[in-house]
Amino acid sequence: MLIKLLCRKDNSIFQAMQIINENGKNTVFVVDHQDRLCGVLTDGDIRRSLLSGKSLHEQVSKVIAREFKFIRQSEGEKAYLKNTDESIKIMPVVDDDMRVVDFFQFTGALHVPVAHPDLTGSEFKYLSEAFLSSWISSRGEYINMFERGFSQFCGTRYGVAVCNGTAALHLALLASGIGPGDEVIIPDLTFAATINAVLHAQATPVIVDVDKTRWCIDPAAIQSAVTRKTKAIIPVHLYGQPCDMDAVMAIAKKHRLKVIEDCAEAHGAEYGGQKVGSFGDIGCFSFFANKIVTTGEGGMCVTNSASLMEKMRLMRDHGMSKTKKYWHTVVGYNYRMTNLQAAIGVAQIERIDAILKERDNIEAQYREQLKGLDFVAFPRRDLPKSNKVVWLVSVVLTDGKRDTHMERLIARKIEVRPFFYPLSRMPIYKKYAQPCRNSRWLSARGINFPTVSWQDRNQMFRDIIQTLSTGKK
Ligand SMILES: *Cc1c(COP(=O)(O)O)cnc(C)c1O
């Protein structure tokens, strides 16, 4: 490929055009007789020179710009990014003698968002129906249908729809009687909503480490963090991977702890053939736009306990008595979901198996495409009893260059995301943390690739592979 980009400085403009025509890159790198780079010529430069009266037989050395951009190989990887320029699509990489050894290309045309809601079923139809029915607030048939449908999907008896996933966690803690003075054990590697909900409930979070294989809360770390004040555990099924629920439930049983599952990233994941969210006292889900199931904003608590369900319904709706209007029995919240959101949710769960399968396929494609890159470690698919789902395509880069890879991918408009920062690293949460070595290790190496349903993913994979391989030769 490199050869097709080179043009001698005593070649004619016509010859340069022939090379450009063949390489399809709209550019040639102009070199002298010792193969040293002396300029860059684009088809735009050629057009301008012809319009200004130059002939096709003129030597390219007469028309190349005096100033041009290139990257020195010796400057190392960061130079690629420093030189990122939207207007320049392709740049030569030279050695110490100015010989072209490589090139770096920016694919401006491709912009891959990290996630993209799949709304291709009856979402719009149901949403319009809800709208036209004028039941646009938090009462209406879609709410009931969504609660029924989603809790059934999880294998639980009841569902309580709420305005978002954080509210779901908060509501679950309140309904479980967690409050001031109570300790709640949570993993270090999670989205901050997990710990925020504990703090909103005025309880004390106890942050423990995760395990390196599942990336989820480490049962041994839970065990050693239990005190007389411990009241609950929030296992987070991180990036679609189920926690080791046998171990978590055994500890909870032994110490009589409540279990509130944070399933915001794992709709449909299974452990021992049983769906996450159905193990603990309450399972909490988020339906934010980038989650596996979405209602725009939204959340749900699922449970098998009628009394927890009743408590959550009461707290969700201002703590207002069900039988006596405007009579309040507890200090409640407005955590309701609207019928409009639920309408979208109903359409989503009609297709949930297809949505999960499509995400599985995307991950399988990544596994296949990136298998030549030995520093890309995918999560294990063979963990006992575990059936993970795909939220983002989450991998660990073991070459210690995660940040450089990420910057480069983002420069190419492939929207990758790093793993979460460990809670224990953030000043506002630090004081609640026990030592967490694994979460730090994972957090520094983890990267999430886009899971967009893409018509033609080939260009995206080509870009990802080329970007990850740069500087590896
Ligand atoms: C997204 C998320 C939440 C919060 O959900 P929202 O709907 O954004 O409030 C909670 N926990 C985890 C692990 C999440 O990823």
Side-chain angles (χ1 to χ4, degrees), residues 164-167 169 190-191 193-194 236 262 264-265 286-288 291 297-298 391 420:
N164 59 61
T166 313
L169 287 164
T190 181
F191 182 61
T194 316
V236 180
D262 184 340
E265 302 174 5
S286 164
F287 307 120
F288 183 64
K291 301 289 162 90
E297 292 275 1
W391 176 37
F420 299 119

Side-chain angles (χ1 to χ4, degrees), residues 21 201 207 221 266 280 377:
N21 194 41
I207 301 168

Side-chain angles (χ1 to χ4, degrees), residues 127-259:
L127 177 62
S128 335
E129 276 169 16
F131 179 86
L132 293 172
S133 77
S134 83
W135 289 97
I136 60 171
S137 205
S138 49
R139 281 171 67 188
E141 260 321 292
Y142 283 114
I143 297 269
N144 305 331
M145 280 166 69
F146 188 40
E147 289 183 338
R148 230 179 297 129
F150 191 76
S151 55
Q152 223 164 54
F153 168 76
C154 295
T156 53
R157 245 177 248 146
Y158 311 106
V160 179
V162 292
C163 53
N164 59 61
T166 313
L169 287 164
H170 188 204
L171 201 60
L173 287 160
L174 295 171
S176 306
I178 309 293
D182 297 336
E183 289 179 358
V184 179
I185 299 175
I186 60 168
D188 192 28
L189 196 60
T190 181
F191 182 61
T194 316
I195 188 167
N196 288 344
V198 176
L199 293 167
H200 294 332
Q202 295 176 54
T204 307
V206 177
I207 301 168
V208 304
D209 206 1
V210 296
D211 90 77
K212 243 169 153 173
T213 320
R214 284 180 188 272
W215 311 342
C216 292
I217 196 162
D218 176 9
I222 300 176
Q223 181 59 62
S224 57
V226 172
T227 70
R228 274 184 313 156
K229 288 185 184 165
T230 308
K231 285 285 153 58
I233 310 168
I234 307 184
V236 180
H237 307 291
L238 195 77
Y239 298 131
Q241 311 217 79
C243 298
D244 180 353
M245 288 314 286
D246 280 348
V248 172
M249 295 312 289
I251 297 167
K253 193 170 174 202
K254 183 169 152 204
H255 300 281
R256 295 167 187 267
L257 307 175
K258 305 273 189 215
V259 174

Side-chain angles (χ1 to χ4, degrees), residues 411-425:
R412 291 183 86 151
K413 302 221 170 108
I414 296 167
E415 209 188 310
V416 288
R417 295 276 167 85
F419 275 20
F420 299 119
Y421 291 107
L423 296 175
S424 62
R425 272 194 55 198

Side-chain angles (χ1 to χ4, degrees), residues 286-307:
S286 164
F287 307 120
F288 183 64
N290 73 9
K291 301 289 162 90
I292 297 170
V293 173
T294 186
T295 60
E297 292 275 1
M300 198 179 300
C301 299
V302 298
T303 183
N304 283 318
S305 155
S307 79

